[in-house]
Amino acid sequence: MKVSLFITCLCDTFTPDVGKDTVELLERFGCEVDFPVGQTCCGQPAYNSGYKSESIQAMKQMIKAFEQAEYVVGPSGSCVHMLKEYPKVLAGEPEWAERARKLSDKTFELTQFLVDVLKVEDVGATFTGTATYHPSCHMTRLLGVKDAPRILLENVKGLNLIDLPMKEDCCGFGGTFAVKNSHISGQMVQEKAEHIEETHADYLIGGDMGCVMNMGGRLRRNGQEVKFLHIAQVLNTQ
Amino acid sequence: MSIKIGHKPYAERIQDGLNNAFMRKAVSSAQGRFRSGRLKAAEELGDWEDWRTLGEEIRSHTMENLDYYLHQLSEQVEKRGGTVFFAETAKEANEYIQEIAKKKQAKKVVKSKSMVTEEIGLNEALEKSGCEVVESDLGEWILQLDEDPPSHIVTPALHKNKEQIRETFMKKKGYTGSDDPVELAAFAREQLRQDFLEADIGVTGCNFAVAESGAITLVTNEGNARMVTSLPDTQISVMGMERIVPTWEDLEVVVSLLTRAAVGQKLTSYITALTGTRLEDEVDGPEDFHLVIVDNGRSKILGTEFQSALHCIRCAACINACPVYRHVGGHSYGSIYPGPIGAVLTPLLDGYDDHKDLPYASTLCAACTEACPVKIPLHEHLIRHREIIVEREKMTTKAEKMMMMGFAKWASTPAAYKLSTKMARTTLKPWTKEEYIEKGPGPMKGWTEQRDFPAPARERFRDWYQKREQRSDQ
Amino acid sequence: MAIHHREAFLDNLAEQLGRSRKRNVEAPHYSVHPQERVFQGATQEELVEKLEEQCKIIHTSFMRTDLERLGDTLRSVLLNYDVTKVVGAGGSRNEATGLTNFYQEIQLEGYDVHIWDEAKGQENVSFAERAGAGIVFSDITLAESGTVTLFNDRYNGRSISLLPETFIAIIPKSTLVPRMTQASQLIHEEEKKGNLVPSCISFVTGPSNSADIEMNLIVGVHGPVKATYIIVDDL
Ligand code: SF4
């Protein structure tokens, strides 16, 4: 199976390890992974801020970059969902909309791809420690990926998974919201940090780097000792 | 009152909200209860998604044929002895009601809870024409005594604690009891009973009108709406023009959705369906009935991409699910309609000038959309608003526009993307300490005010990948 | 009686919707009907059980009796509430259930009883205002929500179930249906047949209540503070 990695601009720039783990994980299950170098950012920062025409420029670049791919897999529910919105956003340009639809149909979030397409529920990982998982809003509500991360994590040996209180609540990231409405965002992420504290977990795991950076940044600011990881980093342990 | 409440700018309102520790605690615990009630009620049904689908279908069918159903409704109301007034504006509605009050020489008007009368500022209008207006919903009464606007569309006094309420009762009504909620409520019961018996006119809102029979339905728990419609001789019901369903069978579904989504009740204590005037052989109920159907900006929403905002059944589930609302409270929205639905509806009804910040008061987490019993895509409407603010209203700053144009260029030109991501680490070097930025420059300030920002990695993913490819090629 | 400003108002709506005025709309076919599945096929006895369960949630006392013992049951309820002033709905059901006799009996025992009578006009309301309990018959009873449906009319004034502190509903077992769906269907059918719907239909679920003060549930605000349902078996 041929898979083109959609790295997301955040992972590309800030957490390359997540990309490495994603590649290795997919390869371990027989995928042939390539990395289309023309990819940039999915356009969400502009799209969600109301800059539709600006975001469309990014979208078209992404459509071109992945045109040859058989499957597109990315380690982010939010960015993958953005790709899946392309056909709607480009509805006014039928030819692009059709190309967008093709991209949308073949694009998957990492855990979704593992569980739904590769039919893997146990990746054979071992990770010793106590962790709690934050299910990101876009991954669960918009992309509809609710069970896959949980199934995969529950099968990780040595991992003691503790339920995060009020886990469905947004961490306060919201892209530009974190900057534009930083005071509200700060209170939201603080509440999240307190709930993480309540679990006494050593690790916070997330499936979206934006949210993990937000929560991790607050944990660090608070001097909380909790380490934060992307789910790919946990799943790719042996 | 009107849609807009207060004059403080957005940033100040938000700060007020964030600084109000009691309010935040109250809102947070209320949200918890509302939410678990809603989730439990949904779980009990087992097929909540089917219910939502049905709710959505009923609401969109109604809106597509709104002219027809309003026509049918008005015919039926007239047949049953009522008078119908179609008001395009708040002013028209108020003037019509003032006229009735004058004709009846009304001194006292009792009201049951109604958002649309808040919206059109009916109380002020009636007071101007010399009527005493008494709100009879407990929460609304508290706010009326305290001259405070509502902060929630179902429990309007959510932001007040019992000590504050006791004080208000003491100051305004000579109350001498404790701050025990039961005692406070008993006092209200006793005080308001007299008002019900004395009132010349009863004013209600309308949860749903039933087109086929001309019934006006009121959904309450306290029983005040029944008082308002049983005791005074004249009843005036004011409805937003979209608050209608075709048949009784449709009514039943939306009422079930409303009570479950709002408070997790299977039904509230009272669902009261009133049709026209009392019959000749009946003793209680109004002998004169007026239905005022209000547009006040709603028709502008019809036929647009925002049409589904008119499907709203005012259950507040989106408000109760919203994490932003939890931290800032209702008054921060500067509108009588707070929370996600408020952020969608307020700019539509009252324009962007005063409310352009509301569509951004959301992380787009979609908790609202998920909670909405009639499946209004609230978070998508917020994005549409943002697009309008940017592209049509051109209300954003030049700096932001420049930044976004830069973004477009960056994200559509792989070479530029590659170069900048490569440079990022060096660019941010002056602010970086131990792989983190604690005080960032320019647009990063908002971020680092609240949390640390990681330094860009030494080696990007794409660099690692390229090297790996080269290795395997050899 | 009149309709003001209608045509321009509705023309505008049609225009916004991008079409001319609709003069006819076909009844829509919805894709799902979850409301019909609730308690589908339940027997009358099962519905009684559901009702009893729901009564616990809605702060309502539940009693069960038969026609013969209805009077005794009512008497015990009144005694229990310590009520001596009673307003009851009028109409033929009083005769049919023996309540007429019951009311006469308790009157002799010193109770102050008033049966709603349109001829007495406002006196009905002022009595109800002072009464300790109001007694009505349920027209349709919704098992799921524990709701009694009252068709308020000349016999069953709105005030009876509203003004007294205690609300007593006599529920003939035969009036039980699964939920509001069946009640609405019935009203809809009547409507289609051209029968006027009552000027007031009250769906009453337990006593009045409020959560307006710090979300504390307060039972008993403007309407009744206490409620009792009496299921009568052979009705
Ligand atoms: S938008 Fe939906 S959830 Fe919010 S109040 Fe309206 S109906 Fe309820």
Side-chain angles (χ1 to χ4, degrees), chain B residues 153 312-318 341 371-374 376 378:
Chain B
I153 60 174
C312 174
I313 60 173
R314 302 285 190 272
C315 69
C318 58
I341 184 60
C372 179
V374 291
I376 302 172
L378 291 155

Side-chain angles (χ1 to χ4, degrees), chain B residues 353-366:
Chain B
D353 284 344
D354 286 331
H355 309 288
K356 67 172 189 314
D357 294 303
L358 295 188
Y360 296 93
S362 163
T363 60
L364 304 178
C365 76

Side-chain angles (χ1 to χ4, degrees), chain A:
Chain A
M1 199 173 280
K2 278 199 170 134
V3 172
S4 294
L5 176 68
F6 162 34
I7 181 68
T8 78
C9 59
L10 281 184
C11 285
D12 190 9
T13 315
F14 294 96
T15 51
D17 287 349
V18 174
K20 296 176 208 172
D21 288 318
T22 302
V23 171
E24 288 172 12
L25 200 54
L26 290 168
E27 285 177 347
R28 191 137 45 88
F29 291 100
C31 298
E32 201 180 301
V33 182
D34 73 338
F35 178 75
V37 292
Q39 62 182 287
T40 56
C41 165
C42 65
Q44 188 169 187
Y47 181 72
N48 280 358
S49 303
Y51 291 83
K52 187 170 163 187
S53 56
E54 282 80 0
S55 72
I56 286 176
Q57 295 182 48
M59 293 177 189
K60 288 182 175 171
Q61 176 58 35
M62 293 296 273
I63 293 171
K64 283 189 269 177
F66 287 106
E67 204 109 60
Q68 303 308 322
E70 191 178 315
Y71 284 103
V72 177
V73 175
S76 158
S78 183
C79 306
V80 164
H81 176 258
M82 186 71 251
L83 257 57
K84 291 198 168 284
E85 289 284 289
Y86 285 7
K88 236 167 49 190
V89 184
L90 289 162
E93 300 176 67
E95 194 201 316
W96 277 105
E98 180 52 22
R99 291 167 77 180
R101 192 190 55 74
K102 284 191 186 132
L103 172 59
S104 161
D105 288 349
K106 64 188 178 188
T107 302
F108 294 86
E109 183 275 330
L110 173 64
T111 62
Q112 179 188 37
F113 187 73
L114 285 167
V115 174
D116 294 349
V117 181
L118 297 179
K119 307 283 177 209
V120 177
E121 299 201 340
D122 184 349
V123 293
T126 304
F127 185 98
T128 316
T130 302
T132 191
Y133 174 77
H134 168 70
S136 295
C137 305
H138 289 182
M139 170 114 80
T140 51
R141 294 199 189 97
L142 301 186
L143 197 60
V145 177
K146 291 198 164 111
D147 297 329
R150 186 185 46 78
I151 293 171
L152 292 167
L153 286 174
E154 276 172 1
N155 286 320
V156 172
K157 274 166 225 65
L159 182 66
N160 177 17
L161 203 59
I162 297 180
D163 204 38
L164 180 62
M166 309 272 284
K167 56 175 181 277
E168 299 84 4
D169 266 4
C170 177
C171 69
F173 173 53
T176 51
F177 176 86
V179 177
K180 242 192 165 129
N181 274 291
S182 65
H183 297 284
I184 308 174
S185 173
Q187 293 303 299
M188 289 167 73
V189 69
Q190 176 58 25
E191 191 181 9
K192 192 53 89 177
E194 285 164 17
H195 288 312
I196 294 168
E197 187 78 35
E198 283 166 39
T199 65
H200 299 290
D202 302 320
Y203 298 92
L204 165 71
I205 303 172
D208 261 287
M209 230 30 239
C211 312
V212 174
M213 266 168 71
N214 176 45
M215 292 180 288
R218 183 70 178 206
L219 291 170
R220 188 174 184 276
R221 175 68 54 93
N222 288 348
Q224 288 171 256
E225 305 254 293
V226 187
K227 295 186 256 323
F228 37 94
L229 295 168
H230 187 277
I231 189 167
Q233 295 172 291
V234 177
L235 296 179
N236 193 36
T237 51
Q238 270 170 341

Side-chain angles (χ1 to χ4, degrees), chain C residues 15 50 78 80-81 85 89 104 119 131 151 162 229:
Chain C
E15 194 185 318
K50 297 283 180 195
L78 293 177
N80 192 28
Y81 284 130
K85 221 175 165 76
Q104 273 163 6
F151 294 156
L162 182 63
Y229 291 172

